[in-house]
Amino acid sequence: MAHRYIQKSVWPAFQTADRTYTFDHLDELSLEVVDSGAVSRRLVVTFSDHVFTRDAEPSDTSTGIFPGCSRNPGYFCPARYEASLALRELINSFPNQITWMLSGNDRYAQLPLHTDTGQVRLYAIIFTLDRVTGIPFDLHMKIRSAYFCHTKAPDTFGSVKFKHLVRLRCENRHPKKIADRNRPRPRI
């Protein structure tokens, strides 16, 4: 996508003692989806800095702070960064997957298996999906965070096929959540 519709600037490269990290792979992208009503929909996808930063830990120094991070301060996380390199490919697979509903009306998650330091783990990709006007897209998918689930998956309230979620969101509706304690849940 040559033109930027939502993301107006790119993140600056981040330098550590031995490496420079760039963020071209997190530039705005478009995704075509045929929804559950057989209507072709266009999504514009943007990324939050939470896909490559983390909260502070006791051993952190100021050299790890990512400038302008929305976490205020947020620390650059090499593990999250490395995992983020696969986000574009994973997002392209969303139309054939189910999506888990999270707390709140507008938070969803894809939980694909992904490799983390040699182990296959659930990789939580948290996003919102909102209608947009004034640009040649039906929906804006904002990837709000992405992280490996080391001990447990996020709390979920049922699932829906991604194609059907796209249809519902284009109709300004949300899927029905399931609060039953015996509801299906993602497993690590």
Side-chain angles (χ1 to χ4, degrees):
M1 175 185 329
H3 183 77
R4 291 191 184 156
Y5 293 94
I6 294 176
Q7 179 186 352
K8 300 302 179 191
S9 62
V10 295
W11 288 290
F14 187 77
Q15 180 74 43
T16 62
D18 59 343
R19 184 171 171 189
T20 299
Y21 296 88
T22 60
F23 301 94
D24 313 12
H25 64 289
L26 298 176
D27 282 347
E28 184 175 288
L29 69 105
S30 64
L31 180 66
E32 301 282 334
V33 176
V34 176
D35 73 14
S36 63
V39 177
S40 182
R41 304 291 188 172
R42 292 190 70 211
L43 283 64
V44 59
V45 182
T46 61
F47 302 87
S48 160
D49 55 30
H50 286 220
V51 303
F52 60 86
T53 62
R54 60 169 173 72
D55 291 328
E57 294 175 354
S59 62
D60 286 331
T61 65
S62 62
T63 60
I65 294 176
F66 187 81
C69 183
S70 63
R71 291 178 192 267
N72 197 27
Y75 287 79
F76 179 77
C77 178
R80 282 188 178 209
Y81 175 85
E82 291 301 324
S84 78
L85 295 171
L87 276 171
R88 288 175 103 77
E89 181 181 338
L90 291 169
I91 289 166
N92 283 323
S93 73
F94 282 13
N96 301 315
Q97 307 296 325
I98 63 164
T99 297
W100 295 92
M101 293 170 281
L102 302 179
S103 61
N105 251 358
D106 65 343
R107 301 270 171 152
Y108 305 98
Q110 286 285 340
L111 296 163
L113 294 175
H114 193 48
T115 302
D116 173 33
T117 61
Q119 290 187 305
V120 176
R121 299 185 190 273
L122 287 179
Y123 183 50
I125 304 169
I126 312 300
F127 65 94
T128 53
L129 199 57
D130 297 304
R131 294 185 312 163
V132 291
T133 58
I135 59 176
F137 295 93
D138 299 292
L139 297 169
H140 172 208
M141 174 189 282
K142 180 161 187 167
I143 307 299
R144 299 206 164 269
S145 190
Y147 56 89
F148 283 105
C149 303
H150 294 287
T151 56
K152 71 176 212 113
D155 288 333
T156 58
F157 299 89
S159 63
V160 62
K161 289 184 179 180
F162 184 78
K163 291 179 178 187
H164 191 60
L165 176 62
V166 167
R167 178 181 180 180
L168 291 173
R169 294 307 298 131
C170 283
E171 296 170 354
N172 202 28
R173 297 187 300 146
H174 294 279
K176 184 179 179 200
K177 292 190 177 189
I178 301 169
D180 182 292
R181 67 183 179 145
N182 295 320
R183 66 189 179 268
R185 298 167 201 254
R187 302 262 182 240
I188 292 185

